[in-house]
Amino acid sequence: MWLILSGALLDCSIKLGLWAGAVHWYQLRYFTTLSNLLAAIYSLWALLRGRDRTPPLLHGAALMAVLVTGLIYHLLLRGTFGGFTPFTLGWLGDQMVHTAVPVLMELDWLLFIPKGRSTLWYPLGWAVFPAAYSAGTVLIARTGRCLPNSNTPYPYPFLDVWALGWGHVLRNAALVGLAYLGLGWGLVWLDRRLAE
């Protein structure tokens, strides 16, 4: 728990620029940062109240968010973001948000979370977070304010309505949503198998 909490808070503080003496609030427009903050909230809750008293919806939402963050980054986005010099703060933050925290959350779930508590409805609850994020991203982007070092207000290329048009973005969002639900139901299935 302490590893997840400290890792998530450290990487979010790096992403937000706190170690550089400035706050980069625009980083809160990235699902990566928000998913790691959700993992920190889960970890703090579990440390204060105990893992067995942590709502499965909270744990599942945090787990799913960071897992999808890691998967999308490593499968689709790795070459489009970053470019950090190895072993710098930026590189460390990038490794932690996309790799370390997702792996730690998965290990936490596999090794310490009581199994057999998930229902088939949970993935729908877990999907509220990314659905709200996607809707919020589109609404914020409608202001037209571009992100720093970018010519678009969209934080991810697959959500960029300016570049892709609404049809492609809606298709991309539907595909990510279906994959998210599929992964969620896969976790429910695995949870039930591990409980036996």
Side-chain angles (χ1 to χ4, degrees):
M1 271 302 91
W2 285 107
L3 280 175
I4 296 170
L5 178 62
S6 58
L9 290 178
L10 176 63
D11 62 37
C12 287
S13 68
I14 291 170
K15 289 289 186 191
L16 289 170
L18 301 181
W19 295 86
V23 179
H24 305 298
W25 293 110
Y26 69 89
Q27 286 291 335
L28 293 174
R29 290 177 63 184
Y30 289 93
F31 187 81
T32 300
T33 306
L34 296 176
S35 68
N36 277 261
L37 286 174
L38 187 59
I41 291 167
Y42 153 73
S43 300
L44 184 59
W45 183 302
L47 282 168
L48 296 175
R49 302 206 37 149
R51 280 186 182 97
D52 58 331
R53 296 181 63 206
T54 302
L57 280 174
L58 172 60
H59 177 264
L63 174 62
M64 285 292 300
V66 295
L67 279 179
V68 168
T69 292
L71 288 171
I72 288 179
Y73 176 78
H74 287 289
L75 296 175
L76 302 175
L77 300 174
R78 188 173 192 120
T80 63
F81 286 98
F84 298 107
T85 303
F87 308 107
T88 62
L89 271 179
W91 177 85
L92 177 64
D94 195 53
Q95 297 305 308
M96 291 182 72
V97 294
H98 296 113
T99 307
V101 170
V103 167
L104 289 171
M105 283 291 292
E106 183 65 25
L107 288 173
D108 177 67
W109 178 76
L110 282 170
L111 301 174
F112 302 112
I113 297 297
K115 301 298 180 278
R117 301 188 311 170
S118 298
T119 72
L120 289 176
W121 295 103
Y122 279 9
L124 295 173
W126 301 337
V128 168
F129 180 63
Y133 170 79
S134 297
T137 295
V138 170
L139 288 173
I140 292 169
R142 301 279 297 162
T143 66
R145 291 181 37 209
C146 292
L147 290 162
N149 303 316
S150 175
N151 59 357
T152 179
Y154 297 95
Y156 297 106
F158 57 86
L159 290 176
D160 192 339
V161 174
W162 288 2
L164 303 175
W166 280 104
H168 285 300
V169 167
L170 291 173
R171 180 184 56 89
N172 291 343
L175 290 173
V176 169
L178 289 172
Y180 202 94
L181 289 171
L183 181 60
W185 281 312
L187 281 175
V188 170
W189 177 83
L190 185 57
D191 178 63
R192 290 179 176 184
R193 296 297 78 74
L194 292 173
E196 295 173 353

